Amino acid sequence: MTRYADLVERHGTPAYVYDLNRVEAARDDLFAALPEEFELFSAVKANPHPEVIRALRQGGNRACRAEISSTGELDAALSAGFDPGECLYTGPGKTDGELDEAIAKGVRMFSVESLTDLQHIGAVALRLGVVAQALLRINSASASATTSIRMTGAPSQFGIDSETLVEQIPLLRAVEGTEIVGAHFFPLSNARDEDALIGEFQHTIAQAARTFHDIGLDEPRFLDIGGGFSVPYAVPGERPVYGRLREALSQTLDEHFPRWREGFPKVACESGRYLVGDSGTLLAGVVNIKESRGRKFVILDAGINTFGGMSGLGRLLPVAVSPDTAGASPESVESWEKSSLVGPLCTPGDVLGRSVALPPLEAGDVIEIPNAGAYGPTSSLLMFLGRPAPVEIVVRGDEVVSVSRIEHHRTYA
């Protein structure tokens, strides 16, 4: 049931296969959907595999920058060839030790979540004799989209509440070792469609213009308007291509920032799942099949320790996982039996999907879970029960680029 039978035979399951051709196609499609002047950050958290993020960086004039949230992600970005000066360091819990390491290695741009966050950044920058560039992350009081995954408009550890920003500006500007150069917005994730995405970006750009006016930042140098680009997650489906986004963004920016084409401000978007989601396939082996009180359970060697995360949802598990139906006739798919797809762990929470339509299976079979390139091993309960991490196989079409596995070792002080 898998086109990767030769890889399964050589490397076993569970295994992820990432196709770099798909990574590069997603990068090129997203750049094509954005105005030419835009920069694009790749959210390393979505898939920090060095080969994957290296492919996103190697794009000539349209290469991605890196958005990182830890020194571990910084190391992954540096190993993939990213310049530390081109990285954006984000996150609400930046420790002094992390800031010390990041700034010493050359990171200069930080998304700032609060006055005290900026003070921590400034203290380290001052000690190291540099100036850190600050993007004020704004937690807007209002938003455009009413669906999708909201990332703003509520009490949050993320961002400075927009209604308090003006009164905080004198204190923010007084922080030594830092320079406020712009703003960072991230109002939603996984927009339901292109209209919702456009509407949110238009709302964000208008609010950014008002924000810069209100705080007296006459010539902001940088504006990150966030993301929201969608891709199917662990179910069959095609990655969307946004045909109207470029013109809509250009028109809105022309209205609110007449000099944006000259770089005042430089405008950026960011993306995680869109860039890497459809590049990945999870190969899971069927260990056992059982029935319990009228329900069938297909037990896999891949559970929530292998594929357990869905960033931004506030949930541990994906909503549903469905295997790839490529090659199966519609008539045969209609006759597939509904089963629960579960993993091997000793917890009733190890469920990848309920009432999943599956073909006749038996122990030893392998199923493919498509669109699994984002939020896979590193967003899962990787160490739970001490089971080995899945193999990660990077390919370019039919060529195998690398085979690796994450290993954990205890180190004693």
Side-chain angles (χ1 to χ4, degrees):
M1 204 184 158
T2 175
R3 66 204 144 128
Y4 294 121
D6 58 330
L7 296 179
V8 170
E9 184 176 352
R10 278 184 279 162
H11 305 292
T13 59
Y16 279 89
V17 181
Y18 308 124
D19 190 336
L20 298 182
N21 288 340
R22 298 301 306 158
V23 174
E24 292 169 356
R27 178 203 62 203
D28 293 346
D29 282 350
L30 193 48
F31 268 121
L34 298 171
E36 187 175 350
E37 296 84 356
F38 266 51
E39 295 194 352
L40 178 60
F41 287 100
S42 164
V44 173
K45 65 179 70 67
N47 188 330
H49 193 292
E51 299 287 355
V52 171
I53 57 177
R54 184 177 292 114
L56 293 168
R57 182 187 64 83
Q58 295 174 335
N61 293 330
R62 305 306 307 270
C64 292
R65 297 173 63 171
E67 182 264 310
I68 57 176
S69 297
S70 70
T71 51
E73 289 189 347
L74 171 60
D75 288 344
L78 297 182
S79 72
F82 284 91
D83 184 330
E86 293 296 299
C87 294
L88 171 63
Y89 203 114
T90 68
K94 311 175 192 76
T95 68
D96 288 345
E98 291 168 348
L99 291 169
D100 210 36
E101 181 177 342
I103 293 174
K105 287 182 175 179
V107 177
R108 292 293 179 267
M109 185 176 286
F110 294 85
S111 176
V112 174
E113 312 280 0
S114 63
L115 172 61
T116 47
D117 188 26
L118 183 61
Q119 289 170 338
H120 291 155
I121 295 167
V124 174
L126 203 60
R127 186 169 68 248
L128 296 178
V130 301
V131 176
Q133 298 178 337
L135 301 182
L136 302 179
R137 180 163 177 173
I138 309 300
N139 181 12
S140 305
S142 61
S144 169
T146 56
T147 61
S148 308
I149 304 167
R150 300 286 347 139
M151 298 290 288
T152 191
S156 175
Q157 71 268 44
F158 299 111
I160 301 169
D161 295 342
S162 57
E163 64 272 22
T164 71
L165 182 59
V166 171
E167 66 187 53
Q168 292 191 62
I169 276 296
L171 296 174
L172 290 161
R173 283 200 169 118
V175 177
E176 293 184 83
T178 69
E179 179 186 16
I180 298 171
V181 299
H184 178 199
F185 293 80
F186 202 100
L188 87 164
S189 179
N190 207 31
R192 74 178 187 275
D193 54 34
E194 189 168 16
D195 287 336
L197 185 66
I198 289 172
E200 196 64 55
F201 280 147
Q202 289 173 331
H203 181 271
T204 295
I205 291 166
Q207 182 173 22
R210 290 193 299 271
T211 297
F212 290 139
H213 176 269
D214 291 345
I215 67 175
L217 193 59
D218 297 328
E219 280 206 338
R221 300 209 302 268
F222 208 93
L223 172 61
D224 184 342
I225 62 174
F229 309 102
S230 179
V231 72
Y233 186 70
V235 294
E238 297 297 319
R239 172 175 50 78
V241 175
Y242 299 107
R244 296 179 289 110
L245 182 59
R246 173 185 282 228
E247 182 178 357
L249 285 173
S250 298
Q251 290 176 352
T252 305
L253 286 163
D254 284 341
E255 178 183 352
H256 295 285
F257 293 99
R259 297 187 61 201
W260 74 276
R261 297 176 194 272
E262 304 167 43
F264 299 99
K266 188 71 176 177
V267 187
C269 284
E270 56 194 85
S271 175
R273 74 186 73 220
Y274 186 92
L275 291 171
V276 298
D278 81 339
S279 72
T281 301
L282 172 58
L283 306 175
V286 177
V287 176
N288 194 15
I289 297 173
K290 63 164 288 187
E291 290 194 9
S292 174
R293 294 180 174 144
R295 288 176 56 194
K296 178 177 282 190
F297 292 83
V298 175
I299 303 168
L300 305 176
D301 57 10
I304 57 176
N305 59 317
T306 300
F307 188 75
M310 195 173 192
S311 178
L313 280 185
R315 299 188 181 106
L316 177 65
L317 301 177
V319 175
V321 163
S322 296
D324 199 339
T325 59
S329 67
E331 295 78 13
S332 66
V333 171
E334 286 181 7
S335 67
W336 287 5
E337 189 175 358
K338 297 288 182 70
S339 304
S340 289
L341 206 55
V342 303
L345 306 182
C346 300
T347 168
D350 192 13
V351 179
L352 296 183
R354 294 180 172 86
S355 296
V356 179
L358 296 170
L361 294 169
E362 59 185 32
D365 286 341
V366 174
I367 68 169
E368 290 188 17
I369 298 173
N371 291 315
Y375 303 110
T378 56
S379 67
S380 303
L381 299 180
L382 201 54
M383 294 184 67
F384 188 49
L385 292 189
R387 298 184 71 89
V391 176
E392 294 179 274
I393 306 167
V394 179
V395 302
R396 187 178 292 281
D398 295 329
E399 174 194 357
V400 175
V401 176
S402 71
V403 180
S404 62
R405 188 197 303 270
I406 297 171
E407 297 284 359
H408 293 280
H409 301 282
R410 187 180 301 278
T411 301
Y412 289 90

